[in-house]
Amino acid sequence: MLQNTGKLAGYTIFITGASRGIGKAIALKAARDGANVVIAAKTADPHPKLPGTIYTAAAEIEAAGGKALPCIVDVRDEKQINNAVGKAVEKFGGIDILVNNASAINLTGTLETPMKKIDLMLGINLRGTYLTSKLCIPHLLKSKNPHILNLSPPLNLNPIWFKNHTAYTMAKYGMSMCVLGMAEEFKGSIAVNALWPKTAIQTAAMDMLGGSGIDKQCRKVEIVADAAYAIFKQPTSFTGQFVIDEDILRKEGIRDFDVYAVEPGHPLLPDFFLDQQPEDLARQMKEHGATPAFKSGKTSTDSASTGPVSDMFNIIRGVLSPDIVKTTQGVYRFDLSGDHAGVWYIDLKNDAGSAGSGEPPVKADVIMTLDSSDFIKMFEGKLKPTMAFMSGKLKIKGDMGLAIKLEKMMAMMKSKL
């Protein structure tokens, strides 16, 4: 691993999304030099599914040798960012480095992506990065070696990285376009660069996308933290670069990358937006025991856009009506396992109803977990939800009454099959 040199002692680093994952790893790396770290993140209270808060991260940073300033920040909120920047300058005297790490991800196609999700991704990834940079730049210009580092990919314009999740790619590439523009705008004054991992990194987001078994195909967050540290050591003339973590660490003399692996010696999964095809990523994940929750783009059962579950949802959309919505008033999420694993939803609560792949546009009232083959049997009328539940084939979290109401839609669908 890359050794600390003390280079960042006394520097103030403002990091968005630093309560966990890559953001926290970068914070801890800097803290070991004696840096001041501003933890700008949303999680003030413990999350039921995700580890860490801004306060637990602050305690770890202090224990590592740094000084911490935890700030509740939603990067979509200009006032919250302004307040955090003001507190940072008041406590530490300025800002030397900005790390735009906060990000949102939703890997669904155009028809399946609710506008709420699009607004979230554009608001955090693109607008949040631009806004946080804008508010920090006046203070960065006063630093002796200022840096902006965005956790975003190279601008790979191969259509394969757009076709399955156009909204996410637009939002993530927005962060990269900030690098392209601001590096030129502030050339000679501020180093503005992007950093992206060569392989998948074990984070909460990766666990969500890959499911159980994905961790052994990943590297640890420390490799990204070491790469960020290597960038911060560079002068401001090092700017406009789209850096891959392994590449810059090789230039730093690192040769043993097994130390970064979750399971040394195990084949690693390449990250998105590089040269590996999406369908190859999905295949490799499955070969080594993971279940990808994103579309590979391949016309096979690996893809949520085709197959029996997708066909069933085409039929479901055909029977949706205001009457069903009025009498049901429930939002359903289906977590499917087996040959056609994935997350799907039926919204029988809003407008004329909707159905598709991915998370529902609003919070689900009922979450049903079952094998994809049993899901198909239920909607073909061959297996009632109540019987599936009693036999243990179906797990239900939420309103049991809504699960029974769903049988009305299933009865209507018999004539369509």
Side-chain angles (χ1 to χ4, degrees), residues 95-96 137-144 146:
I95 298 173
D96 301 291
I137 284 171
H139 304 286
L140 290 168
L141 288 170
K142 299 174 184 178
S143 173
K144 58 184 178 182

Side-chain angles (χ1 to χ4, degrees), residues 328 330-332 334 348 365-368 378-379 384-387 389 394-410:
T328 309
V331 178
Y332 301 81
F334 302 91
L348 297 179
D365 299 303
V366 183
I367 300 174
M368 295 183 167
M378 282 203 319
F379 280 86
K384 289 188 176 183
T386 48
M387 294 302 296
F389 176 74
L394 169 65
K395 293 181 181 178
I396 300 175
K397 182 179 180 181
D399 191 334
M400 284 290 294
L402 285 174
I404 297 170
K405 281 186 177 183
L406 194 62
E407 291 185 14
K408 181 179 179 181
M409 169 183 274
M410 295 173 184

Side-chain angles (χ1 to χ4, degrees), residues 149 152 154 193-197 227 231 238 241-245 247-248:
L149 182 64
S152 63
N193 297 290
L195 174 61
W196 195 246
I231 292 171
F238 184 87
Q241 303 296 310
F242 291 87
V243 179
I244 302 301
D245 57 357
D247 295 347
I248 194 166

Side-chain angles (χ1 to χ4, degrees), residues 152-229:
S152 63
L155 287 166
N156 185 345
L157 297 183
N158 188 326
I160 62 170
W161 295 114
F162 290 83
K163 67 176 183 177
N164 296 323
H165 38 75
T166 299
Y168 172 65
T169 300
M170 289 193 305
K172 203 65 185 174
Y173 278 16
M175 297 176 71
S176 301
M177 292 175 75
C178 285
V179 170
L180 204 62
M182 293 179 188
E184 192 66 22
E185 182 178 0
F186 296 101
K187 184 180 286 186
S189 300
I190 303 173
V192 186
N193 297 290
L195 174 61
W196 195 246
K198 183 174 183 178
T199 72
I201 303 297
Q202 187 186 26
T203 62
M206 197 64 224
D207 290 341
M208 175 190 72
L209 295 175
S212 61
I214 192 62
D215 55 338
K216 60 187 177 183
Q217 301 180 53
C218 297
R219 281 174 171 164
K220 303 171 188 175
V221 291
E222 282 76 15
I223 189 170
V224 185
D226 281 4
Y229 187 82

Side-chain angles (χ1 to χ4, degrees), residues 264-335:
H266 196 282
L268 295 167
L269 183 69
D271 205 353
F272 277 27
F273 303 117
L274 302 178
D275 294 328
Q276 194 93 354
Q277 297 278 334
E279 53 265 29
D280 293 336
L281 296 182
R283 188 190 68 249
Q284 184 172 333
M285 290 169 78
K286 293 182 74 174
E287 283 176 354
H288 296 287
T291 304
F294 61 88
K295 297 180 182 181
S296 68
K298 209 171 181 181
T299 54
S300 73
T301 56
D302 290 345
S303 174
S305 62
T306 60
V309 175
S310 178
D311 293 343
M312 185 59 70
F313 267 84
N314 287 334
I315 298 171
I316 291 170
R317 281 189 283 265
V319 301
L320 294 179
S321 70
D323 286 341
I324 294 178
V325 172
K326 185 177 180 180
T327 57
T328 309
Q329 287 296 290
V331 178
Y332 301 81
R333 190 181 100 180
F334 302 91
D335 292 348

